[in-house]
């Protein structure tokens, strides 16, 4: 039975003609109702006007000073993993990284001095050889301390790994650092300690009289730093040392902070890490660079901007340091650990993470930073790390494969590395990040939907969260 016959039998009769005005009215109502439907990006769901980008080719706006690197972790391209995967991973790290970093104890290395003057170099030798074989500019982070160097009660090597040397063993740790510098003469860069581990005002062995001050023990750190600096410079004047490797914490809700510092659009810096930098700069015996650590997200999980705009934190921290005396204005600034943060409810998606890391690295490069080290370049079986690695797990047969982020890191090395002239760019929206050199440009789509970007009159259609490297227009 046809629908028309059924309608007639029910007494509806033939349908009256529909006027053009009625069609337009119903279409308008439908579009209005669709606009009311919630979506992750409601403004962009239906209509995304092209983003207009202008590249000014008349002169360079900036000369890049930034090199991308990575810090090796416990799981890495080690020789006991799948041989084919390890070989592939080594090719990827050589192609995409300028710097590589390894801790001297922990995170893939055993205790180098398990007993006084008894040495075990096997793991550290292997990691240095990994960096050496992949043509890296090599860094060793002088952390952590052997168990016997720590205060009583904290001498289990691994249970209390993040405990600082006891004041009575500072010179022992400095002597170990000196031996390491001599053992690896082709390692040029050394970061002293890591995140002020074990150096809070209430930590065992803390500076007397600061137990109630609720702050970092920057006096203790600077004492350790100076001992290590002096010991290494005596035998390796060519070595480059830096500190204080402090975490640049921030919160979105400044009213809940015990020690709020400067406030910005994205959040408020914790004053206590800033005090570490100020004290260390004033009292250091010398330094070749300033090392800091941080993420674009706020510690309390409060987001005052979207996650792409929050990368301005890397820029603002850099400029705060540049206003400090005693070397703050001139010493190279390194991000010893660098993390692109995202909201807790964000989708776990490798394309999204790659876009976020690429965009955040453009911000960091534009600030003037010298070194940016991601943490743990080997991802899991899918490539997830912090948040994304360069290759996937080499312990599996199909490991050592490039992630989305590999192409991003390689592009920064090949086309936007130190000494590259960069043009001034402007964009009509905040939905895209761009960097342009005479040879190549990188466009990063912030949206979960496609968008059209018009660069000096040339149209590019970017897929959701796409990072595109193409010839400069």
């Amino acid at each position: 039975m046809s629908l028309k016959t059924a309608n007639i039998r029910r007494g509806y009769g033939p349908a009256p003609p529909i006027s053009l005005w009625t069609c337009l009215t119903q279409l308008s109502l439908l579009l209005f109702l669709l606009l009311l439907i919630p979506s992750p990006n409601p403004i962009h769901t239906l209509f995304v006007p092209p983003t207009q980008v202008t590249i000014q080719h008349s002169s360079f706006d900036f000369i890049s000073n930034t090199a991308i690197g990575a810090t090796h972790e416990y799981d890495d391209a080690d020789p006991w993993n799948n041989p084919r995967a390890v070989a592939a991973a080594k090719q990827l790290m050589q192609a995409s990284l300028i710097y590589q970093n390894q801790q001297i104890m922990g995170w893939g290395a055993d205790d180098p001095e398990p007993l006084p003057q008894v040495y075990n170099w096997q793991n550290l030798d292997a990691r240095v050889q990994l960096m050496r074989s992949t043509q890296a500019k090599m860094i060793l982070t002088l952390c952590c301390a052997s168990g016997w160097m720590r205060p009583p009660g904290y001498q289990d090597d691994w249970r209390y790994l993040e405990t600082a040397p006891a004041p009575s063993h500072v010179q022992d740790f400095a002597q170990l650092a000196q031996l390491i510098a001599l053992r690896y003469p082709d390692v040029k860069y050394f970061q002293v300690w890591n995140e002020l581990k074990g150096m809070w005002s209430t930590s065992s062995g803390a500076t007397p009289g600061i137990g109630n001050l609720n702050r970092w023990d920057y006096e203790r750190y600077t004492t350790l730093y100076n001992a290590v600096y002096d010991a290494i410079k005596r035998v390796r004047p060519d070595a480059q040392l830096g500190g204080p490797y402090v975490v640049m914490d921030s919160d979105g809700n400044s009213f809940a902070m015990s020690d709020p510092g400067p406030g910005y659009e994205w959040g408020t810096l914790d004053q206590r890490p800033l005090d570490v930098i100020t004290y260390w700069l004033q009292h250091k015996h010398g330094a070749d660079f300033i090392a800091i650590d941080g993420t674009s997200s706020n510690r309390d999980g409060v987001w005052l901007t979207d996650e792409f705009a929050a990368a301005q934190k890397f820029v603002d921290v850099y400029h705060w340091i540049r206003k400090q005396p005693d070397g703050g204005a001139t010493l190279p600034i390194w991000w010893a650990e660098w993390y692109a943060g995202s909201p807790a409810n964000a989708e776990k998606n490798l394309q999204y993470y790659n876009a976020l890391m690429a965009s955040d690295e453009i911000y960091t490069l534009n600030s003037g930073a010298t070194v940016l080290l991601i943490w743990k370049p080997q991802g899991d079986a899918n490539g997830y790390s912090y948040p994304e690695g360069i290759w996937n797990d080499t312990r599996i047969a199909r490991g050592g494969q490039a992630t989305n982020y590999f192409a991003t890191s390689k592009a920064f090395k090949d086309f936007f590395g130190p000494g590259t002239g960069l043009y001034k760019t402007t964009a009509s929206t905040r939905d895209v990040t761009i960097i342009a050199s005479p040879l190549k440009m990188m466009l990063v789509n912030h949206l979960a939907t496609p968008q059209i970007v018009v660069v000096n009159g040339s149209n590019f259609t970017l897929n959701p969260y796409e990072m595109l490297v193409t010839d400069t227009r």
Side-chain angles (χ1 to χ4, degrees):
M1 183 185 296
S2 71
L3 179 60
K4 182 177 179 181
T5 304
N7 284 343
I8 292 173
R9 285 188 176 183
R10 289 175 183 167
Y12 295 147
I18 301 175
S19 69
L20 177 61
W21 174 256
T22 301
C23 288
L24 292 175
T25 301
Q26 292 177 347
L27 179 60
S28 299
L29 178 60
L30 175 61
L31 291 174
F32 174 75
L33 291 173
L34 286 173
L35 286 170
L36 294 179
I37 298 174
S39 70
N41 289 292
I43 295 175
H44 301 288
T45 300
L46 295 176
F47 306 108
V48 183
T51 295
Q52 301 289 333
V53 171
T54 301
I55 301 176
Q56 299 181 14
H57 295 278
S58 57
S59 63
F60 292 138
D61 179 59
F62 186 73
I63 303 297
S64 171
N65 192 41
T66 304
I68 306 296
T71 294
H72 294 286
E73 242 268 35
Y74 180 80
D75 294 321
D76 216 292
D78 292 307
W80 51 82
N81 291 341
N82 182 280
R84 184 174 296 179
V86 169
K90 291 174 71 173
Q91 291 180 344
L92 295 176
M93 72 176 83
Q94 182 168 341
S96 61
L97 298 173
I98 295 178
Y99 287 87
Q100 293 178 43
N101 174 46
Q102 173 63 45
Q103 320 285 324
I104 64 168
M105 178 179 176
W107 301 277
D110 283 341
D111 185 345
E113 190 178 2
L115 296 170
Q117 299 184 8
V118 175
Y119 302 102
N120 174 20
W121 301 111
Q122 183 177 358
N123 289 130
L124 192 55
D125 281 353
R127 283 296 173 87
V128 170
Q129 181 56 33
L130 173 64
M131 297 190 292
R132 187 182 287 137
S133 67
T134 51
Q135 308 299 310
K137 291 186 176 181
M138 296 184 288
I139 309 164
L140 287 175
T141 295
L142 302 171
C143 183
C144 291
S146 305
W148 62 269
M149 297 183 188
R150 304 177 204 148
Y154 296 89
Q155 295 180 339
D156 183 283
D157 259 2
W158 305 112
R159 184 179 178 188
Y160 300 110
L161 176 65
E162 298 185 1
T163 302
S168 60
H169 286 293
V170 165
Q171 288 303 322
D172 292 313
F173 184 80
Q175 178 65 27
L176 174 62
Q178 185 185 75
L179 289 175
I180 288 171
L182 289 170
R183 184 173 183 84
Y184 309 111
D186 53 343
V187 175
K188 184 177 180 180
Y189 304 98
F190 297 89
Q191 298 181 131
V192 181
W193 209 241
N194 173 312
E195 297 184 336
L196 274 73
K197 285 178 167 55
M199 295 190 185
W200 190 249
S201 57
T202 55
S203 297
S204 178
T207 299
I210 70 166
N212 296 324
L213 297 184
N214 186 37
R215 64 163 172 85
W216 292 108
D217 192 347
Y218 42 70
E219 298 97 338
R220 183 181 186 182
Y221 171 79
T222 306
T223 296
L224 178 71
Y225 173 88
N226 285 337
V228 170
Y229 180 88
D230 293 343
I232 291 180
K233 287 289 188 177
R234 276 196 299 271
V235 298
R236 286 275 313 275
D238 64 302
Q240 304 285 291
L241 282 84
Y245 200 149
V246 64
V247 182
M248 306 307 294
D249 283 326
S250 63
D251 280 0
N253 180 11
S254 61
F255 297 103
M257 299 177 72
S258 62
D259 292 274
Y264 303 93
E265 179 185 14
W266 44 266
T268 300
L269 284 170
D270 191 319
Q271 183 61 41
R272 294 168 294 187
L274 306 183
D275 292 341
V276 172
I277 295 173
T278 301
Y279 183 91
W280 173 78
L281 284 171
Q282 184 179 358
H283 295 89
K284 67 189 183 312
H285 287 177
D288 299 291
F289 58 91
I290 299 168
I292 52 177
D293 172 332
T295 172
S296 56
S297 59
N298 290 317
R299 179 178 47 191
D300 60 359
V302 175
W303 291 85
L304 303 181
T305 66
D306 70 72
E307 59 267 44
F308 287 90
Q312 181 65 28
K313 176 180 176 179
F314 297 120
V315 179
D316 292 333
V317 167
Y318 179 93
H319 288 301
W320 181 89
I321 295 174
R322 282 289 176 247
K323 295 177 183 177
Q324 308 311 308
D326 304 309
T330 56
L331 288 170
I333 296 175
W334 289 29
W335 286 95
E337 294 179 36
W338 178 98
Y339 303 94
S342 59
N345 61 353
E347 180 183 1
K348 188 176 182 181
N349 179 296
L350 289 170
Q351 195 77 5
Y352 163 68
Y353 286 152
N354 179 53
L356 191 58
M357 292 175 76
S359 180
D360 284 16
E361 286 180 357
I362 291 174
Y363 273 81
T364 308
L365 184 152
N366 284 332
S367 74
T370 299
V371 174
L372 179 163
L373 300 178
I374 67 165
W375 186 267
K376 196 175 184 292
Q378 176 164 296
D380 65 9
N382 295 310
Y384 291 105
S385 183
Y386 291 94
E388 184 170 339
I390 294 174
W391 63 87
N392 71 333
D393 196 341
T394 57
R395 294 173 297 181
I396 61 177
R398 299 189 65 181
Q401 301 301 304
T403 64
N404 295 319
Y405 175 69
F406 163 75
T408 296
S409 187
K410 186 176 187 301
F412 275 99
K413 179 181 179 181
D414 292 346
F415 306 123
F416 310 109
T420 305
L422 302 174
Y423 295 127
K424 181 177 178 60
T425 64
T426 56
S428 62
T429 73
R430 300 181 73 174
D431 295 335
V432 63
T433 313
I434 181 169
I435 188 171
S437 70
L439 186 61
K440 297 289 183 180
M441 63 179 178
M442 178 186 289
L443 302 169
V444 184
N445 183 6
H446 300 184
L447 304 179
T449 55
Q451 69 162 312
I452 297 173
V453 179
V454 182
V455 181
N456 288 3
S458 297
N459 285 20
F460 298 88
T461 300
L462 300 182
N463 293 321
Y465 298 127
E466 182 177 5
M467 184 285 296
L468 174 67
V469 176
T470 186
D471 293 342
T472 299
R473 304 297 174 92

